[in-house]
Amino acid sequence: MEGEDTRLKCENAQLDKPVTNYSWPDTVGGTPFGQFLIFDNVSKDLHLKRVRCAGSHGESSARLVYSDSIFLKIYYKPVIKIISSAPTCSPQTSLSNVCFITRGHNVTLSCQAKSNPPPASVKWFGKITSTTMNITITLAEQKTDGGAYICSAETEKSSDDQRLPLFSSYQFTVIVQCNNEIHKLLIY
């Protein structure tokens, strides 16, 4: 799980040949410590990265026996990205959490989420509610369309894993203005 500390253990599958030395040829940033590969604060960047260990049966490293490679499967919460059809609406840039829309224009907002396991649902809350990843503001007006919007994403539940589902949300404000008001805001 992203953010947790964890460790992997290399074990000898051949009980009749004791391993005298363990090593980790593929660590993907983990810290090897004998039989263990230790990860502090697991990152989603490790998802599907390969690790493997090796053991030697005696003094010579020429007798190394390698494990199969395993690919780490890191659970991580949905990372939400809002995409807009309006060039003045970029709620995840330097004007953080604000989306400017010109009065009378149409704008489509898309809530895109990435996670492991993949998102099972995406929902919009606020002035417009929806259970799809896209919403459209038609002929934008301040009173009906301006205000807070929230996009949320959730992974599937699992009866086998109590850590699921994972959930994230992103909130931003839509401001509907006349053409010249937006122009002034962008210049100053």
Side-chain angles (χ1 to χ4, degrees):
M1 180 71 74
E2 180 181 30
E4 291 183 353
D5 298 338
T6 194
R7 62 187 185 167
L8 303 176
K9 183 178 182 183
C10 187
E11 290 188 346
N12 181 11
Q14 298 177 345
L15 299 177
D16 60 333
K17 294 182 182 180
V19 173
T20 57
N21 187 29
Y22 289 95
S23 62
W24 292 86
D26 297 314
T27 66
V28 297
T31 304
F33 186 75
Q35 278 186 272
F36 297 96
L37 183 61
I38 301 167
F39 292 93
D40 295 326
N41 193 17
V42 172
S43 164
K44 68 179 175 282
D45 297 333
L46 296 177
H47 184 60
L48 297 180
K49 300 291 185 190
R50 180 181 89 153
V51 296
R52 68 183 173 138
C53 67
S56 60
H57 302 285
E59 297 298 319
S60 171
S61 62
R63 294 180 161 174
L64 276 179
V65 177
Y66 292 90
S67 70
D68 292 336
S69 294
I70 63 168
F71 293 88
L72 301 175
K73 293 185 180 180
I74 309 300
Y75 282 171
Y76 60 94
K77 292 180 178 183
V79 177
I80 295 173
K81 183 175 182 180
I82 306 297
I83 306 294
S84 169
S85 64
T88 56
C89 177
S90 301
Q92 292 168 314
T93 59
S94 61
L95 299 172
S96 65
N97 301 346
V98 179
C99 168
F100 293 103
I101 298 175
T102 303
R103 191 174 140 248
H105 285 204
N106 300 334
V107 176
T108 299
L109 298 170
S110 179
C111 179
Q112 298 178 3
K114 182 179 179 183
S115 63
N116 186 46
S121 69
V122 175
K123 297 178 182 176
W124 283 96
F125 301 96
K127 296 284 183 152
I128 298 174
T129 59
S130 174
T131 57
T132 65
M133 60 188 270
N134 294 326
I135 59 171
T136 300
I137 297 173
T138 306
L139 300 173
E141 289 294 332
Q142 179 58 42
K143 288 184 180 179
T144 56
D145 301 310
Y149 286 76
I150 300 169
C151 171
S152 68
E154 185 175 41
T155 65
E156 288 184 14
K157 295 177 184 175
S158 171
S159 58
D160 298 339
D161 194 334
Q162 299 305 312
R163 298 175 294 177
L164 299 177
L166 301 174
F167 173 83
S168 292
S169 65
Y170 183 79
Q171 181 174 340
F172 62 98
T173 303
V174 169
I175 298 175
V176 179
Q177 295 187 329
C178 296
N179 274 336
N180 58 353
E181 290 173 343
I182 290 176
H183 182 69
K184 287 178 188 175
L185 281 169
L186 293 175
I187 291 176
Y188 295 108

